[in-house]
């Protein structure tokens, strides 16, 4: 028998006793993900390493009452051995009746000993711990000891992330959807959240623009008494997404423009009117006229650039011509 010792905090430690055994892989319940933190268990590099060098770090298992073995640490290692056609594997089998909370602690610390946990692994770890620790304060203290972010705001966001479908969690890792945008989806139904995710897969949007799309769609859904997924399945959005001549950036611009027009129909008309009349002013690239935000009665802004007195005189002539142009009066009157 070997004693496996792992420190849980600065003040105490837990002792885990285990026996080295050779276990039939068929006796391992690979579908029991009680202690699994990672979404993906496949790794070509790990397969190659085990094939060439062997299994250096045996997985840790626990035998259940039904005599099947539960994986505590080493999901990827066992998956790699399976892909190599192994039928047996050397493992460390924990002895004694250990509570699930201790198994989770061991799984988290074992993962952290190999590499930093990614954001999804952190979220899954917090979610699994919270099932055993109802007190938020105790959970945050233990999570901090185990290496999770001590910031309460980040901690709360990680908890929300784990409630999303696994495909969206995977999308955070491959940057199809940003962390903040994914958190915004946590209160939606899985179907609606996946509708947003499917849209983002076909677009190239920054974090702020993804969040803008989520907000616009939710506001449209509330105003029109629809589900967000129904808004995203509109004919207009499908038409944009089905245009092969548009790249992802261009599709993103058109989708956002459509949503803004649908959400703020009067604002869209005002923007269209302003754009038309501004063109009639025949301003050049050195003079820019900007309306007040949302055309809500604030001041208009004129910005001009110049390098010399000659340039300055030219800009003044442009402004003088602008003041005499009837288009300026037409442009201002609708928004008095």
């Amino acid at each position: 028998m070997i004693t496996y010792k792992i420190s849980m905090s600065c003040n105490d430690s837990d002792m885990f006793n285990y026996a080295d055994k050779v276990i039939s892989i068929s006796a391992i319940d690979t579908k029991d993900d009680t202690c699994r933190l990672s979404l993906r268990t496949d790794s070509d590099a790990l397969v190659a390493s085990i094939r060439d060098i062997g299994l250096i770090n045996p997985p840790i298992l626990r035998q259940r009452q039904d005599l099947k073995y539960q994986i505590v640490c080493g999901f990827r290692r066992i998956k790699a051995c399976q892909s190599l056609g192994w039928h047996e594997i050397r493992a460390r089998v924990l002895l004694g009746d250990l509570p699930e909370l201790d198994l989770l602690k061991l799984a988290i610390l074992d993962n952290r000993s190999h590499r930093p946990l990614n954001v999804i692994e952190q979220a899954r770890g917090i979610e699994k711990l919270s099932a055993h620790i109802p007190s938020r304060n105790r959970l945050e203290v233990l999570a901090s000891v185990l290496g999770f972010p001590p910031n309460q705001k980040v901690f709360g966001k990680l908890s929300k992330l784990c409630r999303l479908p696994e495909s969206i969690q995977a999308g955070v890792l491959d940057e199809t959807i940003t962390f903040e945008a994914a958190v915004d989806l946590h209160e939606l139904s899985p179907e609606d959240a996946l509708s947003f995710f499917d849209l983002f897969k076909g677009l190239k949007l920054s974090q702020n623009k993804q969040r803008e799309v989520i907000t616009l769609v939710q506001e449209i859904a509330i105003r029109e008494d629809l589900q967000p997924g129904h808004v995203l399945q509109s004919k207009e959005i499908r038409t944009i997404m089905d245009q092969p001549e548009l790249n992802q950036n261009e599709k993103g611009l058109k989708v956002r423009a459509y949503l803004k027009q649908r959400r703020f129909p009067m604002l869209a008309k005002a923007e269209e009117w302003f754009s038309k009349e501004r063109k009639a002013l025949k301003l050049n690239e050195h003079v820019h006229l900007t309306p007040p935000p949302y055309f809500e009665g604030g001041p208009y802004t004129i910005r001009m650039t110049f390098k010399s007195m000659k340039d300055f005189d030219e800009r003044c002539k442009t402004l003088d011509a602008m003041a005499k142009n009837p288009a300026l009066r037409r442009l201002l009157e609708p928004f008095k």
Side-chain angles (χ1 to χ4, degrees), residues 98-227:
L98 296 174
E100 191 171 293
L101 178 58
D102 283 351
L103 299 179
L104 289 172
K105 293 179 189 177
L106 181 55
I108 292 167
L109 290 169
D110 179 78
N111 275 272
R112 287 188 62 239
S113 70
H114 299 298
R115 55 180 172 75
L117 299 181
N118 63 47
V119 65
I120 299 301
E121 290 167 338
Q122 292 179 32
R124 290 171 67 89
I126 289 172
E127 182 72 9
K128 289 176 182 292
L129 289 174
S130 65
H132 301 277
I133 307 176
S135 168
R136 180 63 178 262
N137 289 336
R138 284 187 58 213
L139 178 61
E140 290 179 359
V141 170
L142 177 59
S144 179
V145 170
L146 294 174
F148 294 114
N151 184 292
Q152 289 189 5
K153 188 174 181 180
V154 175
F155 189 90
K157 290 180 178 180
L158 288 173
S159 299
K160 296 173 182 177
L161 193 61
C162 199
R163 301 169 199 166
L164 294 167
E166 284 196 1
S167 59
I168 298 180
Q169 295 180 39
V172 173
L173 294 181
D174 62 27
E175 299 182 346
T176 300
I177 184 171
T178 67
F179 172 76
E180 294 289 345
V183 171
D184 289 344
L185 299 179
H186 86 280
E187 291 185 349
L188 301 179
S189 69
E191 295 77 16
D192 286 338
L194 287 169
S195 292
F196 278 106
F197 182 59
D198 288 340
L199 176 68
F200 292 152
K201 285 191 289 188
L203 304 176
K204 190 173 183 180
L205 298 176
S206 66
Q207 173 175 285
N208 288 341
K209 290 176 181 176
Q210 285 187 349
R211 300 187 76 185
E212 177 192 46
V213 167
I214 293 170
T215 299
L216 288 170
V217 170
Q218 288 182 304
E219 290 177 351
I220 291 169
I222 291 172
R223 191 183 66 183
E224 300 181 11
D225 195 22
L226 297 171
Q227 293 299 318

Side-chain angles (χ1 to χ4, degrees), residues 66-92:
D66 62 0
L67 302 184
K68 294 284 283 186
Y69 289 92
Q70 172 190 5
I71 304 173
V72 178
C73 312
F75 284 86
R76 294 169 66 247
R77 281 165 273 171
I78 292 172
K79 179 74 172 180
C81 291
Q82 280 183 310
S83 68
L84 290 169
W86 291 19
H87 299 291
E88 294 180 330
I89 189 172
R90 184 168 60 88
R92 295 169 175 173

Side-chain angles (χ1 to χ4, degrees), residues 222-237:
I222 291 172
R223 191 183 66 183
E224 300 181 11
D225 195 22
L226 297 171
Q227 293 299 318
H230 292 162
V231 177
L232 293 170
Q233 292 301 317
S234 67
K235 180 180 69 175
E236 291 82 358
I237 291 180

